[in-house]
C-alpha cells in the first residue's frame, strides 16, 4: 500500500532500499515471459502518473559516487508523450550536484541526461525516442570524455554519443526513480512504468549492454546498431541549427 508514503522499495542487489511515493503504483506487471524469458513470470514494475505527486521511488541514502565514470540502466515503458526534463534515474543534491538519465529538454519525448547541472549536457538531445506502449532497455554511460545513451527494444539497437568533458559528480543528494525532486509540480515525473533500475560504478561497453538485453529478451539476432553523433560543436541554443551523423553498424 503505497498511500502511506512509507512502503519499502527493495534493492535486491545492493541493499540500498528506497521508499515508494504515495501516488506510485507498485506491483504492476513488468518485463515478464514469454516476451522476456530472462525474467521471472512474477516480475513486477512500478508505474508513475505524471502530475500525481509524490509519484516516485526515493532511494534511501546518497550514492556518493564521486566519479565521472558510471552507467545507469533501466527498463522503461512510456504510455504517452513525456514532458521535458522528466527524471528516469536522477540525483539532485546541493549546488551543481545534479545528474542522471532523464527525458531531454526538447518537446519530442527523447532521451537526454544531466551532469553536474552543466548546460552543455542538459541542452543535448540524443534523438532517441522510446516508443510508447513498448518496453525499452535504456542506458546512460558516462566517461571523462563522452556520454553515450543506448536504447534497445524489439525494433533494434540505437545509440547516441555526446562528446563532452565530464568532471566527477558527487551523487550526494536524493536519487529518485521516475522523478526529479527539483520540482513538486509533477511535470518532471515519468509517465509510464519503470523496471529493473541499476547503477554501475564503471562504463559498461555496448557489448555488455547488448548481452544484458539479450539475456532478458532472448533476442540473439539484432537489427543494425544505429549510432547518432552531434557534429556541430555544443552547446546548441534554441533557434540554432545542428548537424548529426548517423551510422548503421
Amino acid at each position: 500500500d503505497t498511500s502511506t508514503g512509507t512502503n519499502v522499495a527493495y534493492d535486491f542487489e545492493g541493499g540500498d532500499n528506497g521508499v515508494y511515493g504515495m501516488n506510485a503504483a507498485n506491483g504492476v506487471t513488468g518485463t515478464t515471459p514469454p516476451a522476456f524469458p530472462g525474467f521471472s513470470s512474477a516480475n513486477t514494475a512500478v508505474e508513475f502518473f505524471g502530475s500525481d505527486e509524490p509519484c516516485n521511488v526515493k532511494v534511501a541514502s546518497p550514492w556518493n559516487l564521486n566519479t565521472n565514470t558510471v552507467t545507469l540502466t533501466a527498463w522503461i515503458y512510456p504510455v504517452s508523450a513525456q514532458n521535458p526534463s522528466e527524471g528516469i534515474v536522477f540525483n539532485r543534491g546541493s549546488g551543481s550536484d545534479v545528474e542522471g538519465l532523464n527525458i531531454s529538454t526538447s518537446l519530442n519525448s527523447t532521451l537526454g541526461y544531466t551532469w553536474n547541472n552543466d548546460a552543455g549536457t542538459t541542452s543535448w538531445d540524443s534523438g532517441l525516442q522510446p516508443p510508447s506502449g513498448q518496453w525499452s532497455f535504456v542506458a546512460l554511460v558516462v566517461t571523462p570524455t563522452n556520454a553515450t545513451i543506448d536504447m534497445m527494444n524489439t525494433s533494434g539497437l540505437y545509440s547516441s554519443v555526446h562528446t563532452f568533458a565530464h568532471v566527477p559528480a558527487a551523487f550526494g543528494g536524493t536519487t529518485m526513480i521516475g522523478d526529479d525532486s527539483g520540482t513538486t509540480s509533477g511535470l518532471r515525473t515519468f509517465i509510464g512504468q519503470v523496471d529493473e533500475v541499476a547503477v554501475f560504478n564503471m562504463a559498461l561497453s555496448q557489448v555488455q549492454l547488448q548481452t544484458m538485453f539479450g539475456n532478458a529478451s532472448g533476442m540473439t539476432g539484432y537489427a543494425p546498431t544505429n549510432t547518432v553523433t552531434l557534429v556541430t560543436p555544443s552547446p546548441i541554443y534554441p533557434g540554432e541549427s545542428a548537424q548529426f551523423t548517423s551510422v548503421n553498424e
Side-chain angles (χ1 to χ4, degrees), residues 112-203:
Y113 81 111
T114 302
W115 196 260
N116 271 334
N117 211 25
D118 193 313
T121 63
T122 58
S123 63
W124 179 70
D125 182 355
S126 72
L128 305 181
Q129 185 181 67
S132 293
Q134 179 180 337
W135 284 105
S136 294
F137 177 63
V138 296
L140 167 67
V141 182
V142 174
T143 74
T145 58
N146 62 56
T148 303
I149 292 181
D150 291 289
M151 181 179 72
M152 307 178 190
N153 52 45
T154 56
S155 298
L157 283 67
Y158 306 90
S159 183
S160 186
V161 180
H162 181 216
T163 301
F164 193 84
H166 300 103
V167 299
F171 282 88
T174 299
T175 296
M176 288 192 172
I177 297 171
D179 199 6
D180 172 9
S181 63
T183 177
T184 58
S185 67
L187 293 178
R188 293 190 179 181
T189 301
F190 184 76
I191 307 171
Q193 300 170 19
V194 178
D195 196 2
E196 304 295 330
V197 170
V199 55
F200 304 84
N201 61 348
M202 63 185 73

Side-chain angles (χ1 to χ4, degrees), residues 30-45:
T31 46
T32 57
F36 299 98
F39 288 109
S40 164
S41 59
N43 184 46
T44 59

Side-chain angles (χ1 to χ4, degrees), residues 75-125:
W75 288 82
I76 62 173
Y77 188 97
V79 296
S80 69
Q82 304 293 317
N83 295 312
S85 303
E86 291 174 351
I88 297 174
V89 185
F90 205 83
N91 166 82
R92 183 171 288 274
S94 60
S96 61
D97 182 22
V98 181
E99 44 273 329
L101 174 63
N102 53 265
I103 300 299
S104 73
T105 57
S106 76
L107 299 176
N108 299 318
S109 302
T110 50
L111 297 170
Y113 81 111
T114 302
W115 196 260
N116 271 334
N117 211 25
D118 193 313
T121 63
T122 58
S123 63
W124 179 70
D125 182 355

